[in-house]
């Protein structure tokens, strides 16, 4: 029996997965001023909206779709959903500007494992200017942010209880 890897598909998933992590970190940064209480910190020290509100994340080739709950529990945790809704377009612009700035650095991206087996912990590391991001993750990733020509997000708040963030990445040529 022989197996082979679809390299183009794996590369697309690697870009999508890395872009998803970067988009969530940029989202956390863009929403940092909307917290009245400490929700905990994300991988680079910003208030952890992702950790508090994410209900699903679907990685695809060159992107991802994430859904975030904006209900009563998030408001009780200190998040200002009303200001967020009123400033949605501005927040999206901030996220996209941050993603462009991070891509421009060409920062390294890698997975480190605690051992050789499939059950050993794996962590994604990315050397961002603000801090080294370290996230528990068993997925496949790019080796450098120079592998992207762009990453962008669109925010959809059609349902006021659910934020949908769609992340789209393009490979560097």
């Amino acid at each position: 029996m022989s197996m082979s890897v679809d390299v183009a598909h794996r590369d697309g998933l690697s870009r999508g997965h890395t872009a998803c992590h970067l988009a969530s970190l940029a989202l956390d940064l863009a929403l940092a001023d909307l917290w009245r209480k400490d929700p905990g910190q994300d991988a680079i020290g910003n208030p952890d909206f992702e950790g508090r509100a994410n209900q699903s994340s679907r990685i695809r080739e060159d992107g991802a779709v994430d859904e975030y709950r904006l209900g009563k529990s998030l408001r009780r945790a200190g998040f200002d959903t009303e200001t967020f809704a009123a400033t949605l377009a501005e927040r999206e612009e901030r996220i996209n500007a941050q993603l462009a700035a991070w891509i421009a650095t060409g920062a390294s991206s890698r997975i480190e494992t605690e051992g050789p087996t499939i059950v050993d912990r794996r962590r994604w590391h990315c050397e961002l200017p603000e801090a080294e991001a370290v996230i528990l993750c068993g997925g496949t990733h790019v080796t450098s942010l120079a592998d992207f020509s762009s990453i962008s997000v669109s925010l959809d708040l059609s349902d006021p209880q659910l934020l949908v963030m769609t992340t789209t990445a393009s490979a560097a040529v």
Side-chain angles (χ1 to χ4, degrees):
M1 179 170 166
S2 130
M3 291 189 192
S4 65
V5 172
D6 181 336
V7 175
H9 181 65
R10 184 191 59 207
D11 289 349
L13 291 174
S14 295
R15 284 188 301 273
H17 199 158
T18 302
C20 182
H21 285 320
L22 292 168
S24 72
L25 292 169
L27 174 67
D28 286 349
L29 179 59
L31 304 183
D33 65 312
L34 297 176
W35 291 96
R36 294 183 300 275
K37 299 177 185 175
D38 181 7
Q41 294 185 343
D42 70 8
I44 58 173
N46 293 305
D48 194 7
F49 177 82
E50 166 82 16
R52 283 287 186 153
N54 188 278
Q55 78 175 20
S56 73
S57 184
R58 294 180 310 277
I59 307 298
R60 60 183 191 199
E61 282 189 55
D62 294 311
V65 177
D66 290 275
E67 295 180 340
Y68 301 92
R69 303 174 306 287
L70 299 178
K72 289 180 189 174
S73 62
L74 191 64
R75 288 190 298 277
R76 279 195 302 271
F79 186 75
D80 183 352
T81 57
E82 293 79 22
T83 300
F84 174 58
T87 60
L88 188 68
E90 175 192 332
R91 306 292 168 165
E92 184 178 294
E93 288 175 19
R94 284 189 205 176
I95 294 165
N96 287 324
Q98 185 62 67
L99 290 168
W102 284 341
I103 289 168
T105 70
S108 71
S109 168
R110 69 187 184 284
I111 291 290
E112 290 186 0
T113 61
E114 291 181 357
T117 70
I118 195 150
V119 296
D120 291 313
R121 285 185 185 259
R122 296 165 49 91
R123 288 178 178 82
W124 173 72
H125 292 252
C126 189
E127 306 286 339
L128 299 175
E130 296 78 1
E132 179 183 16
V134 180
I135 297 175
L136 280 171
C137 183
T140 181
H141 290 277
V142 300
T143 58
S144 167
L145 301 191
D147 292 346
F148 295 102
S149 65
S150 69
I151 301 173
S152 63
V153 302
S154 63
L155 303 178
D156 178 356
L157 201 52
S158 301
D159 175 346
Q161 300 295 308
L162 184 71
L163 169 67
V164 178
M165 180 170 74
T166 303
T167 303
T168 304
S170 297
V173 284

